[in-house]
Amino acid sequence: MTYDPEIPRQFYDNLGDREWHRLTKDRLGELLFHVHMDVLRLHIGPEHSVLELGAGAGIFTKELALLAGRLVVSDLSQVQLDLNRQHMIGAGCFDRISSFENLDIGDLSELDAGTFDRVVCIGGPLSYLLDRERTALEGLIRILRPGGRLVVGVMSLLSTVIRYMRGLKNEKESYGIDAIRWLLETGIQDGSNYPGPQHAKHHVHMMRSDELDALCDDLPDR
């Protein structure tokens, strides 16, 4: 259950431009997009400098570029970052972005403390950190200015199980009942207890709400 940045990097390198269409291909995706936008509009305004982590191909970047006063866009995958740049040019908001940075949220030590008013890490990047989840959260808070806000999201175990319920039977036949039990009890797809397809490694921790609450307990206050 050790974080290996190469696994999510390769996954999203291979995913390519499919990430751009992730929240527009069905009604559930559209609902998730609008729920996230309600939160972003509540916390981000033209007076804020914003860092977007795990930006992918730019689903939310195009919106943040219009909301924020200053926006830095980043992703672990250079492929996704290049696609993001192309999409922002096409959307006419490229000039509103300060820079595009190849960053790993597991180690943001190269960024100065107290740099941003808002740090946005939504869509689930934190779920890839596994044993470094808490360390990563502390790193996100470190780069916030005093009084700044962190807007963060994780992959939901309950939502994932509901959405892919029909596939559990096939998963059991492929990986066995012990693997399914592990996944449902821990939310962890780690390549060992729950192997998943070898052609597309996807090691994540899908969380329950109480797990996220526990992860955020007693974090340092900005």
Side-chain angles (χ1 to χ4, degrees), residues 27-85:
R27 293 294 178 87
L28 178 58
E30 292 177 4
L31 175 61
L32 290 173
F33 173 80
H34 288 293
V35 168
H36 281 81
M37 284 308 304
D38 284 346
V39 175
L40 294 176
R41 292 189 187 101
L42 182 63
H43 294 289
I44 296 173
E47 70 275 21
H48 298 134
S49 64
V50 178
L51 170 64
E52 183 186 14
L53 292 160
I59 297 169
F60 292 106
T61 305
K62 66 184 189 300
E63 310 297 335
L64 289 169
L66 301 177
L67 291 173
R70 173 176 174 263
L71 177 63
V72 174
V73 176
S74 71
D75 200 275
L76 177 66
S77 164
Q78 188 61 49
V79 171
Q80 291 296 320
L81 206 56
D82 291 342
L83 287 168
N84 192 308
R85 183 182 290 106

Side-chain angles (χ1 to χ4, degrees), residues 197-213:
Q198 292 304 304
H199 68 278
K201 290 183 180 179
H202 193 235
H203 296 179
V204 298
H205 178 199
M206 295 168 283
M207 299 186 200
R208 304 184 310 270
S209 59
D210 63 320
E211 290 180 296
L212 181 57
D213 288 343

Side-chain angles (χ1 to χ4, degrees), residues 132-208:
R132 292 186 59 81
E133 291 168 352
R134 176 73 181 201
T135 301
L137 267 179
E138 292 173 349
L140 300 186
I141 291 173
R142 183 188 68 84
I143 59 178
L144 280 172
R145 291 173 180 159
R149 294 182 182 177
L150 170 63
V151 182
V152 65
V154 297
M155 296 181 190
S156 164
L157 175 59
L158 180 59
S159 175
T160 301
V161 170
I162 291 173
R163 187 169 190 178
Y164 296 104
M165 183 69 72
R166 292 181 179 178
L168 282 180
K169 181 176 181 292
N170 292 334
E171 296 283 292
K172 182 178 73 68
E173 292 173 353
S174 297
Y175 310 126
I177 188 62
D178 289 339
I180 295 297
R181 183 179 293 110
W182 165 267
L183 183 68
L184 295 178
E185 290 178 351
T186 69
I188 296 172
Q189 183 174 305
D190 60 356
S192 176
N193 295 284
Y194 192 89
Q198 292 304 304
H199 68 278
K201 290 183 180 179
H202 193 235
H203 296 179
V204 298
H205 178 199
M206 295 168 283
M207 299 186 200
R208 304 184 310 270

Side-chain angles (χ1 to χ4, degrees), residues 115-133:
T115 303
F116 298 94
D117 299 307
R118 302 287 187 266
V119 172
V120 175
C121 183
I122 57 177
L126 191 64
S127 289
Y128 292 100
L129 272 291
L130 299 173
D131 61 321
R132 292 186 59 81
E133 291 168 352

